[in-house]
Amino acid sequence: MSSALITGITGQDGPYLAKLLLEKGYRVHGLTPRRSSDNLWRLRELGIENDVDFVNGDLADAGSVQRAVASVKPDEFYNLGAQSFVAASWDQPVLTGVVDGIAVTHCLEAIRQFSPKTRFYQASTSEMFGLIQAEKQDEKTPFYPRSPYAVAKLYGHWITVNYRESFGLHASSGILFNHESPLRGLEFVTRKVTDAVARIKLGRQKELRLGNIDAKRDWGFAGDYVEAMWLMLQQDEADDYVIATGVTTTVRDMCRIAFGHLGLKMEDHLVIDPKFFRPAEVEVLLGNPAKAKARLGWEAKTSLEQLIRNMVDADMKRVSKETSC
Ligand code: NAP
Ligand code: G4F
């Protein structure tokens, strides 16, 4: 039986990846930091809460990562844990630097010392392209990070490449463009929108306040993207891959899809609020996933329209169940 250790198993991507691996017959371990309240709702929604072996540990605590790797000695290690909200990285730049940057070295060092055959996946990001240097971004496009989050992730990306080249570790970096799902956190723009649209339809909310709706993103479905992570670790050689749909859409048009799905007019409810503008913006992202298609046989299966409709439907169900007071 193959085994995997996943950090960030309670986030959006972790449960989709865990489910995929469990279906493939893996034993799945999840590194979880101590939290004061229950955060297993996503694993519960996918019905796998009891199928994961939890290991205590925090990415910022090198010793705990070492103990986890030394005791599990996983075949595959997926580092998905992060402070992943870009806007929050200006409020907590040092914490973001430690967890999203330095802690990647904690993982790689633990593998190097205690389990050098473990294959490693690093959750890199299209945010590293930031102020884009090419119309369509691929593995060769130069990076230009625009937030403390992206700067930290860039460190994580290069240290992964460096440990691969220095020590021969099977360490791959997935440069994933935005991916969403009904399990997305409420702070991210797609889910903020789909939740608000459901609340407006059900009379629980009147308006939706957003920042820069001219920003463009290449949005895919998280369920499709975790498959690419797994495929990367099945290759003979470790490498870096851009994972994207190849289509970019404004926040405005994504919003229109969500309102339109429930027969609402976006213009009747949308308010632009300067509070949600960022100190430095990534105006547009558009990925070229040709290498992933050629080498991994991977391509995105879910359109943005399908994705947003599914998210709105899921939020309609959730909000309908809430007791109004
Ligand atoms: P997410 O929903 O924000 O989940 C982040 C996870 O990291 C949570 O399980 C969180 O635990 C955990 N975590 C935070 N701090 C930690 C620490 N100090 N030690 C251990 N775990 C910690 O993120 P996601 O959307 O699933 O994204 C997964 C990864 O892909 C992240 O690294 C993100 O930066 C990267 N990424 C995401 C996208 C995207 O569009 N979703 C695109 C490119 C790259 P708690 O639940 O306890 O807070
Ligand atoms: O949904 P967002 O917060 O995602 P963002 O900043 O693109 O980051 C996400 O994708 C990255 C991959 O490129 C990941 F690495 C990262 O971890 C995260 O998952 O914002 C998307 C866009 C931005 O341009 C933002 O300025 O939407 C714009 N926006 C406009 N109004 C808003 C809002 N974003 C949020 N969160 N909230 C708003 O009210």
Side-chain angles (χ1 to χ4, degrees):
M1 186 192 252
S2 297
S3 62
L5 175 62
I6 303 177
T7 72
I9 197 156
T10 55
Q12 170 189 246
D13 293 359
Y16 284 113
L17 177 64
K19 189 161 198 284
L20 178 82
L21 297 179
L22 287 165
E23 284 165 0
K24 290 184 185 295
Y26 281 62
R27 180 162 180 195
V28 175
H29 305 262
L31 182 92
T32 45
R34 193 257 161 194
R35 295 288 190 257
S36 61
S37 53
D38 175 51
N39 63 353
L40 301 181
W41 68 272
R42 294 178 171 101
L43 291 162
R44 219 169 277 136
E45 277 212 14
L46 296 191
I48 57 169
E49 183 196 4
N50 298 321
D51 301 329
V52 171
D53 292 310
F54 296 102
V55 189
N56 293 326
D58 191 303
L59 280 165
D61 184 325
S64 69
V65 177
Q66 282 172 10
R67 280 192 295 280
V69 170
S71 68
V72 174
K73 289 202 171 37
D75 296 300
E76 298 170 11
F77 183 134
Y78 295 87
N79 184 34
L80 310 185
Q83 187 305 92
S84 80
F85 187 36
V86 173
S89 74
W90 279 281
D91 299 326
Q92 302 185 340
V94 176
L95 176 131
T96 304
V98 171
V99 176
D100 299 12
I102 296 296
V104 183
T105 314
H106 295 163
C107 302
L108 290 162
E109 268 298 303
I111 290 173
R112 181 161 86 97
Q113 292 180 42
F114 299 104
S115 187
K117 288 206 163 43
T118 294
R119 295 184 170 198
F120 181 71
Y121 172 85
Q122 168 58 15
S124 287
T125 165
S126 51
E127 276 289 303
M128 300 187 309
F129 295 120
L131 189 62
I132 54 167
Q133 304 292 300
E135 193 185 335
K136 269 196 149 189
Q137 301 91 55
D138 64 20
E139 296 78 6
K140 294 202 162 60
T141 305
F143 299 119
Y144 195 136
R146 294 272 282 171
S147 63
Y149 167 78
V151 172
K153 281 284 182 177
L154 200 50
Y155 173 89
H157 173 75
W158 281 118
I159 201 71
T160 300
V161 174
N162 182 261
Y163 270 55
R164 177 169 77 219
E165 294 176 353
S166 305
F167 304 115
L169 296 190
H170 193 293
S172 293
S173 175
I175 307 174
L176 271 55
F177 283 62
N178 299 53
H179 46 278
E180 318 293 313
S181 73
L183 301 186
R184 190 57 145 151
L186 278 166
E187 65 273 42
F188 300 95
V189 75
T190 53
R191 180 81 204 292
K192 180 174 173 180
V193 168
T194 60
D195 173 74
V197 163
R199 286 178 192 282
I200 290 167
K201 182 71 181 179
L202 294 168
R204 313 271 173 96
Q205 187 172 321
K206 285 204 163 49
E207 59 180 31
L208 165 63
R209 304 182 84 85
L210 293 179
N212 177 16
I213 59 170
D214 294 320
K216 294 174 102 175
R217 289 293 182 273
D218 180 331
W219 278 295
F221 170 49
D224 293 344
Y225 284 39
V226 296
E227 201 155 352
M229 298 176 188
W230 176 76
L231 283 167
M232 283 178 220
L233 296 205
Q234 309 317 305
Q235 305 308 302
D236 290 340
E237 301 292 329
D239 207 341
D240 307 323
Y241 294 90
V242 157
I243 301 298
T245 67
V247 177
T248 192
T249 308
T250 58
V251 172
R252 181 197 309 276
D253 287 344
M254 177 275 293
C255 238
R256 219 184 286 282
I257 296 169
F259 277 100
H261 183 50
L262 296 185
L264 297 167
K265 269 182 77 182
M266 178 178 86
E267 291 73 13
D268 294 341
H269 305 280
L270 184 58
V271 177
I272 300 302
D273 186 337
K275 188 168 86 183
F276 296 109
F277 282 77
R278 295 174 179 181
E281 178 62 286
V282 172
E283 293 292 349
V284 54
L285 289 172
L286 171 60
N288 174 4
K291 179 175 168 184
K293 187 170 182 194
R295 304 252 185 100
L296 306 178
W298 180 90
E299 59 188 329
K301 298 186 195 118
T302 313
S303 71
L304 180 62
E305 286 74 13
Q306 275 173 285
L307 171 64
I308 295 297
R309 285 189 213 120
N310 290 344
M311 290 173 68
V312 171
D313 290 343
D315 279 322
M316 279 296 281
K317 279 197 193 131
R318 289 181 181 128
V319 178
S320 306
K321 280 189 201 144
E322 285 174 11
T323 45
S324 54
C325 52

